[in-house]
Every structure is written in structure tokens, then in C-alpha cells.
Amino acid sequence: MAILKCASRTLDLSTTQVMGILNVTPDSFSDGGSLYDQQQLSVDVLLQKATEMVDQGATILDIGGESTRPNAKSVTVQQEMDRVLPALELLVANLDVVISIDTSSAALMTEAAKLGAGMLNDVRALEREGAMSAAAATGLPVCLMHMQGTPQTMQQAPEYQSVTAEVMHYLRNRAKLCEQAGIGAEQIILDPGFGFGKTLEQNLQLLQYTSAFVASGYPVLIGTSRKSMFGQLLARDVADRLAGGLASVAYAVMQGAAIVRVHDVKETVDVVTVIEAVKGQGE
Ligand code: 7PJ
């Protein structure tokens, strides 16, 4: 069974793990920068929210300092570091959980590993200058996500001949390059990248074929939480997409997704627990 080595901790992926999302950006689309008070990250609120997620069953917390929603303001590496590193230090000092860092920056990967991060999560699949070798040097697991285009342009007119085949081909190729760079195959996680340069139909096709990604042998991470695919399919605002997200989690967990990345940890853990309990029954 797949065991991820996350610095001083390990994660057993024989059942689906729940990753809680902590945005330390003042302009996140889904929680609107709620960890901020007048542009200042609130330490108390962050620790409270993180502690709650761990108590609810999250085994990974994902800290991101760059908003990648369409048309988000770009940040400098320094700004991203200033947002993420203090949050990382706070959580490492106070919680027993794997901390994942959602970043494309080589410098931040290196610094975060020194401060106790347990995983790297890159929506650009380590394509930025120096990112792959920096990630390899940390020895941490890496999540490689597929995106078509850039956050600025990705939703304009995403096009594929076959979305599942193309995304799979891209991720396999990135994984191979990571292995050549010295990252162990067992430390590589693949993510189709819901909403990153995909139409509603393309997102649904990717979800439908979760098992094809799982069949690659790499652990698969699914991140659909509160995304606009549910806005389109259900005509729901961001605040009202929980049921849609839970349905997608159930679908993915049934097919063997290793990690689900979500805002709503408590409800997601219940769904995962029920699906795993059903899967785990002998006759
Ligand atoms: C994802 C992510 C995702 C991974 C974001 C949001 C937008 N990392 N970072 N997968 N999405 N691995 O949370 O809605 O889907 S930022």
C-alpha cells in the first residue's frame, strides 16, 4: 500500500486522505480572504481554523499564498513567502499534521521544507524555473497538477481532442521528468486540475475517468471544492456548492482517489468514511 514520506510524518494512502484548504491570500475566490483582517493575516483565526480542520479529520493542510482564480492579481515571490512562511511556522509549532505548500516558486519550496513542510503542491506541475530541482532536493512528496494556459487566460476557450488522454499524457510526462530529476515515483501525486483550463463538460469527463488516473499507479488528488463547475451545473453561488462538491468527492473516492482537497473538512470526512466503510466490507 502506498505510503507517502512527508518529512517527519507518513501518510497511508490505502484510504482516502482529506486535505483542508487554508488560503493565506487576501483575494481567494471561495472564502474571500476570510483569514484577513484589514489586509493583515489574523494569526488567531488561522490557528483556530487549522485546528478545527485537524480535529475534523484532515490529515493534510494545504497553505497557499497565490490566488490562481481567473484574473487574480499576480504576486511576487517575496509577497508569497511573506504570506506563507509565517503561517507554516505557526501551524508546524502547534499542530500534528502534514503541511502542504501550494506554490510554484522554487525559493518558497526550499524555505518551506526547512521550516517543516511535509508536501509540495504545484498547480504548474514544477514547470517554473528551478522548481523541479528545488522540489527534488527537499525529498518531499510533490503533487503535479495539470493546467491548460495560465490563470489569466485558462478559462477563455479551453480545447482538447480528448481531455482525459491529453491530461494523462501531460501528467505522465511530468512525472517521468520528476523521476529523472531524482524524485521517487512513490512520492509523486497526480491531479487533473479541475477548473484550470477546462469547460464544465471537460471537468465532468475528467471526474468520470478518475479511475484512469488511478490506474497510472500514482496516487491521485482531486480538487473540486466549491469550484465553478458546480456553479455552472447547479446554478449555485460559491457559498452554496457543498452538496455538489460532496457528490464529486464520493464519485472520486469510489474510484480510488488518494487525496481530496477541500474547504469543508467535516462533511467531506463523513462522506469519505462512509464510502470507505462500504468499500471495506467483505462478503
Ligand atoms: C487546486 C490546487 C487543485 C491542487 C487550487 C481553488 C483554486 N492545487 N490549488 N489541485 N486548486 N493540487 O482552490 O479553488 O484543484 S487553487
Side-chain angles (χ1 to χ4, degrees):
M1 269 305 139
I3 305 278
L4 280 184
K5 293 194 290 290
C6 307
S8 60
R9 292 183 175 78
T10 57
L11 278 179
D12 178 358
L13 302 183
S14 57
T15 58
T16 306
Q17 303 298 301
V18 176
M19 170 190 268
I21 302 171
L22 288 170
N23 286 311
V24 292
T25 56
D27 59 347
S28 150
F29 95 97
S30 54
D31 48 25
S34 59
L35 299 177
Y36 275 75
D37 178 25
Q38 301 185 345
Q39 298 300 99
Q40 201 49 45
L41 181 70
S42 164
V43 168
D44 292 348
V45 181
L46 174 64
L47 186 56
Q48 194 186 2
K49 187 162 175 188
T51 305
E52 184 180 71
M53 284 178 163
V54 173
D55 291 345
Q56 292 172 341
T59 51
I60 313 166
L61 299 180
D62 190 43
I63 311 179
E66 179 205 14
S67 176
T68 44
R69 67 174 178 180
N71 303 316
K73 282 201 209 114
S74 60
V75 287
T76 65
V77 173
Q78 192 57 53
Q79 276 175 312
E80 207 188 331
M81 298 242 225
D82 291 346
R83 290 174 182 176
V84 170
L85 294 177
L88 170 64
E89 286 193 275
L90 177 76
L91 301 189
V92 165
N94 288 284
L95 294 172
D96 182 22
V97 68
V98 171
I99 311 288
S100 160
I101 305 295
D102 189 346
T103 187
S104 300
S105 156
L108 178 50
M109 291 174 191
T110 304
E111 288 310 307
K114 285 185 205 158
L115 293 176
M119 185 184 299
L120 302 172
N121 171 29
D122 185 1
V123 298
R124 296 177 184 83
L126 303 176
E127 287 209 41
R128 278 219 181 131
E129 184 79 45
M132 198 176 283
S133 54
T138 67
L140 296 177
V142 296
C143 178
L144 307 174
M145 198 198 79
H146 173 274
M147 162 162 33
Q148 184 177 91
T150 66
Q152 286 70 40
T153 62
M154 65 191 182
Q155 288 307 101
Q156 281 166 13
E159 261 198 83
Y160 303 85
Q161 298 287 325
S162 159
V163 67
T164 304
E166 284 172 49
V167 170
M168 195 60 235
H169 178 78
Y170 170 84
L171 291 175
R172 269 187 193 281
N173 185 50
R174 296 306 297 166
K176 196 174 82 188
L177 292 172
C178 283
E179 289 181 37
Q180 286 165 4
I183 302 175
E186 68 295 339
Q187 295 283 83
I188 298 172
I189 301 154
L190 304 184
D191 179 351
F194 292 91
F196 286 83
K198 282 106 185 168
T199 62
L200 170 61
E201 289 71 24
Q202 289 157 358
N203 285 313
L204 295 173
Q205 283 166 15
L206 288 169
L207 184 62
Q208 182 183 25
Y209 288 108
T210 300
S211 57
F213 291 91
V214 171
S216 73
Y218 295 103
V220 173
L221 184 150
I222 295 289
T224 52
S225 188
R226 300 185 187 172
K227 284 190 177 168
S228 67
M229 55 190 282
F230 305 113
Q232 292 170 267
L233 186 62
L234 304 170
R236 300 284 186 213
D237 290 340
V238 163
D240 211 11
R241 295 177 186 168
L242 176 58
L246 293 175
S248 69
V249 164
Y251 198 86
V253 174
M254 284 174 68
Q255 296 183 57
I259 302 173
V260 289
R261 180 182 178 276
V262 299
H263 301 86
D264 303 287
V265 170
K266 175 171 174 264
E267 294 83 354
T268 302
V269 167
D270 279 0
V271 168
V272 169
T273 303
V274 171
I275 304 269
E276 293 287 8
V278 175
K279 280 166 90 178
Q281 290 307 305
E283 260 193 298

